[in-house]
PDB file of all heavy atoms in Angstrom:
ATOM      1  N   ALA B   2      80.097 124.482  87.227  1.00 79.00           N
ATOM      2  CA  ALA B   2      79.548 123.127  87.265  1.00 79.00           C
ATOM      3  C   ALA B   2      80.578 122.200  88.026  1.00 79.00           C
ATOM      4  O   ALA B   2      80.073 121.124  88.448  1.00 79.00           O
ATOM      5  CB  ALA B   2      79.422 122.613  85.811  1.00 79.00           C
ATOM      6  N   SER B   5      85.231 123.812  92.906  1.00 96.00           N
ATOM      7  CA  SER B   5      86.143 124.893  92.968  1.00 96.00           C
ATOM      8  C   SER B   5      86.829 124.994  94.312  1.00 96.00           C
ATOM      9  O   SER B   5      86.311 124.589  95.375  1.00 96.00           O
ATOM     10  CB  SER B   5      85.451 126.250  92.705  1.00 96.00           C
ATOM     11  OG  SER B   5      84.397 126.454  93.600  1.00 96.00           O
ATOM     12  N   SER B   7      89.741 127.448  96.669  1.00 96.00           N
ATOM     13  CA  SER B   7      90.533 128.748  96.819  1.00 96.00           C
ATOM     14  C   SER B   7      91.312 128.733  98.091  1.00 96.00           C
ATOM     15  O   SER B   7      90.896 128.118  99.066  1.00 96.00           O
ATOM     16  CB  SER B   7      89.569 129.877  96.743  1.00 96.00           C
ATOM     17  OG  SER B   7      88.604 129.781  97.861  1.00 96.00           O
ATOM     18  N   PRO B   8      92.436 129.458  98.125  1.00 97.00           N
ATOM     19  CA  PRO B   8      93.046 130.113  96.977  1.00 97.00           C
ATOM     20  C   PRO B   8      93.667 129.001  96.084  1.00 97.00           C
ATOM     21  O   PRO B   8      93.876 127.826  96.426  1.00 97.00           O
ATOM     22  CB  PRO B   8      94.095 130.920  97.640  1.00 97.00           C
ATOM     23  CG  PRO B   8      94.514 130.249  98.851  1.00 97.00           C
ATOM     24  CD  PRO B   8      93.235 129.592  99.340  1.00 97.00           C
ATOM     25  N   GLY B  16     104.814 128.119 110.843  1.00 97.00           N
ATOM     26  CA  GLY B  16     104.178 128.606 112.211  1.00 97.00           C
ATOM     27  C   GLY B  16     102.894 129.243 111.999  1.00 97.00           C
ATOM     28  O   GLY B  16     102.122 129.331 113.007  1.00 97.00           O
ATOM     29  N   VAL B  19      96.832 128.272 108.103  1.00 98.00           N
ATOM     30  CA  VAL B  19      96.194 128.649 106.812  1.00 98.00           C
ATOM     31  C   VAL B  19      94.857 127.919 106.738  1.00 98.00           C
ATOM     32  O   VAL B  19      94.580 126.986 107.428  1.00 98.00           O
ATOM     33  CB  VAL B  19      97.155 128.063 105.671  1.00 98.00           C
ATOM     34  CG1 VAL B  19      98.380 128.785 105.607  1.00 98.00           C
ATOM     35  CG2 VAL B  19      97.319 126.496 105.762  1.00 98.00           C
ATOM     36  N   ILE B  26      80.460 120.204  93.954  1.00 93.00           N
ATOM     37  CA  ILE B  26      79.414 120.195  92.912  1.00 93.00           C
ATOM     38  C   ILE B  26      78.108 120.209  93.598  1.00 93.00           C
ATOM     39  O   ILE B  26      77.869 119.396  94.532  1.00 93.00           O
ATOM     40  CB  ILE B  26      79.579 119.036  91.996  1.00 93.00           C
ATOM     41  CG1 ILE B  26      80.911 119.201  91.138  1.00 93.00           C
ATOM     42  CG2 ILE B  26      78.389 118.899  91.032  1.00 93.00           C
ATOM     43  CD1 ILE B  26      81.184 118.003  90.320  1.00 93.00           C
ATOM     44  N   HIS B  29      76.139 117.101  95.346  1.00 90.00           N
ATOM     45  CA  HIS B  29      76.966 116.016  95.810  1.00 90.00           C
ATOM     46  C   HIS B  29      77.009 116.096  97.388  1.00 90.00           C
ATOM     47  O   HIS B  29      77.409 117.094  97.908  1.00 90.00           O
ATOM     48  CB  HIS B  29      78.446 116.216  95.285  1.00 90.00           C
ATOM     49  CG  HIS B  29      78.609 115.768  93.872  1.00 90.00           C
ATOM     50  ND1 HIS B  29      79.804 115.759  93.226  1.00 90.00           N
ATOM     51  CD2 HIS B  29      77.672 115.293  92.942  1.00 90.00           C
ATOM     52  CE1 HIS B  29      79.639 115.310  92.056  1.00 90.00           C
ATOM     53  NE2 HIS B  29      78.436 114.979  91.890  1.00 90.00           N
ATOM     54  N   GLY B  42     101.600 110.020  95.130  1.00 88.00           N
ATOM     55  CA  GLY B  42     100.206 109.918  94.843  1.00 88.00           C
ATOM     56  C   GLY B  42      99.397 110.711  95.781  1.00 88.00           C
ATOM     57  O   GLY B  42      99.895 111.361  96.710  1.00 88.00           O
ATOM     58  N   PHE B  49      83.545 113.797 104.424  1.00 91.00           N
ATOM     59  CA  PHE B  49      82.250 114.390 104.928  1.00 91.00           C
ATOM     60  C   PHE B  49      81.156 113.691 104.197  1.00 91.00           C
ATOM     61  O   PHE B  49      81.151 113.646 102.936  1.00 91.00           O
ATOM     62  CB  PHE B  49      82.147 115.816 104.817  1.00 91.00           C
ATOM     63  CG  PHE B  49      83.083 116.619 105.716  1.00 91.00           C
ATOM     64  CD1 PHE B  49      84.329 116.980 105.166  1.00 91.00           C
ATOM     65  CD2 PHE B  49      82.826 116.871 107.012  1.00 91.00           C
ATOM     66  CE1 PHE B  49      85.258 117.733 105.953  1.00 91.00           C
ATOM     67  CE2 PHE B  49      83.734 117.608 107.799  1.00 91.00           C
ATOM     68  CZ  PHE B  49      84.941 118.015 107.235  1.00 91.00           C
ATOM     69  N   ASN B  52      75.222 114.763 107.344  1.00 80.00           N
ATOM     70  CA  ASN B  52      75.353 115.217 108.834  1.00 80.00           C
ATOM     71  C   ASN B  52      75.997 114.011 109.666  1.00 80.00           C
ATOM     72  O   ASN B  52      76.130 114.151 110.813  1.00 80.00           O
ATOM     73  CB  ASN B  52      73.950 115.444 109.359  1.00 80.00           C
ATOM     74  CG  ASN B  52      73.359 116.623 108.825  1.00 80.00           C
ATOM     75  OD1 ASN B  52      73.984 117.686 108.517  1.00 80.00           O
ATOM     76  ND2 ASN B  52      72.061 116.605 108.472  1.00 80.00           N
ATOM     77  N   SER B  62      97.988 114.966 111.565  1.00 94.00           N
ATOM     78  CA  SER B  62      98.289 115.418 112.960  1.00 94.00           C
ATOM     79  C   SER B  62      97.108 116.210 113.495  1.00 94.00           C
ATOM     80  O   SER B  62      96.203 116.590 112.702  1.00 94.00           O
ATOM     81  CB  SER B  62      99.638 116.186 112.951  1.00 94.00           C
ATOM     82  OG  SER B  62      99.357 117.483 112.485  1.00 94.00           O
ATOM     83  N   THR B  78      91.739 123.458 107.702  1.00 98.00           N
ATOM     84  CA  THR B  78      92.642 124.450 108.339  1.00 98.00           C
ATOM     85  C   THR B  78      93.801 123.759 108.860  1.00 98.00           C
ATOM     86  O   THR B  78      93.741 122.552 109.372  1.00 98.00           O
ATOM     87  CB  THR B  78      91.868 125.001 109.605  1.00 98.00           C
ATOM     88  OG1 THR B  78      90.734 125.762 109.169  1.00 98.00           O
ATOM     89  CG2 THR B  78      92.824 126.005 110.395  1.00 98.00           C
ATOM     90  N   ARG B  81      99.782 126.202 112.699  1.00 97.00           N
ATOM     91  CA  ARG B  81     101.249 126.136 112.940  1.00 97.00           C
ATOM     92  C   ARG B  81     101.912 125.380 111.878  1.00 97.00           C
ATOM     93  O   ARG B  81     102.576 124.322 112.120  1.00 97.00           O
ATOM     94  CB  ARG B  81     101.510 125.436 114.350  1.00 97.00           C
ATOM     95  CG  ARG B  81     100.715 126.217 115.479  1.00 97.00           C
ATOM     96  CD  ARG B  81     101.030 125.529 116.831  1.00 97.00           C
ATOM     97  NE  ARG B  81     100.821 124.154 116.823  1.00 97.00           N
ATOM     98  CZ  ARG B  81      99.586 123.667 117.063  1.00 97.00           C
ATOM     99  NH1 ARG B  81      98.488 124.507 117.190  1.00 97.00           N
ATOM    100  NH2 ARG B  81      99.368 122.294 117.140  1.00 97.00           N
ATOM    101  N   TYR B  90      96.744 120.482  97.877  1.00 98.00           N
ATOM    102  CA  TYR B  90      95.601 119.922  98.608  1.00 98.00           C
ATOM    103  C   TYR B  90      94.409 119.932  97.734  1.00 98.00           C
ATOM    104  O   TYR B  90      93.947 120.974  97.188  1.00 98.00           O
ATOM    105  CB  TYR B  90      95.301 120.871  99.881  1.00 98.00           C
ATOM    106  CG  TYR B  90      96.395 120.636 100.941  1.00 98.00           C
ATOM    107  CD1 TYR B  90      97.659 121.267 100.834  1.00 98.00           C
ATOM    108  CD2 TYR B  90      96.190 119.725 101.942  1.00 98.00           C
ATOM    109  CE1 TYR B  90      98.642 121.103 101.734  1.00 98.00           C
ATOM    110  CE2 TYR B  90      97.166 119.534 102.886  1.00 98.00           C
ATOM    111  CZ  TYR B  90      98.403 120.212 102.752  1.00 98.00           C
ATOM    112  OH  TYR B  90      99.395 120.006 103.660  1.00 98.00           O
ATOM    113  N   PHE B 105      87.252 116.004  91.056  1.00 95.00           N
ATOM    114  CA  PHE B 105      88.196 116.807  91.833  1.00 95.00           C
ATOM    115  C   PHE B 105      88.224 118.286  91.385  1.00 95.00           C
ATOM    116  O   PHE B 105      87.933 118.613  90.250  1.00 95.00           O
ATOM    117  CB  PHE B 105      89.595 116.230  91.534  1.00 95.00           C
ATOM    118  CG  PHE B 105      89.919 115.075  92.276  1.00 95.00           C
ATOM    119  CD1 PHE B 105      89.521 113.765  91.878  1.00 95.00           C
ATOM    120  CD2 PHE B 105      90.616 115.078  93.548  1.00 95.00           C
ATOM    121  CE1 PHE B 105      89.829 112.604  92.623  1.00 95.00           C
ATOM    122  CE2 PHE B 105      90.866 113.965  94.323  1.00 95.00           C
ATOM    123  CZ  PHE B 105      90.454 112.719  93.866  1.00 95.00           C
ATOM    124  N   VAL B 113     105.147 126.187 102.278  1.00 97.00           N
ATOM    125  CA  VAL B 113     105.430 126.714 103.661  1.00 97.00           C
ATOM    126  C   VAL B 113     106.984 126.949 103.661  1.00 97.00           C
ATOM    127  O   VAL B 113     107.716 126.080 103.505  1.00 97.00           O
ATOM    128  CB  VAL B 113     105.096 125.739 104.713  1.00 97.00           C
ATOM    129  CG1 VAL B 113     105.373 126.237 106.105  1.00 97.00           C
ATOM    130  CG2 VAL B 113     103.601 125.342 104.680  1.00 97.00           C
ATOM    131  N   LEU B 114     107.354 128.279 103.858  1.00 96.00           N
ATOM    132  CA  LEU B 114     108.732 128.623 103.831  1.00 96.00           C
ATOM    133  C   LEU B 114     109.366 128.476 105.239  1.00 96.00           C
ATOM    134  O   LEU B 114     108.674 128.594 106.304  1.00 96.00           O
ATOM    135  CB  LEU B 114     108.872 130.018 103.356  1.00 96.00           C
ATOM    136  CG  LEU B 114     108.355 130.269 101.915  1.00 96.00           C
ATOM    137  CD1 LEU B 114     108.401 131.796 101.597  1.00 96.00           C
ATOM    138  CD2 LEU B 114     109.080 129.478 100.890  1.00 96.00           C
TER     139      LEU B 114
END
Side-chain angles (χ1 to χ4, degrees):
Chain B
S5 60
S7 61
V19 296
I26 292 171
H29 281 186
F49 294 93
N52 295 318
S62 78
T78 301
R81 306 181 301 283
Y90 289 82
F105 284 82
V113 181
L114 300 176

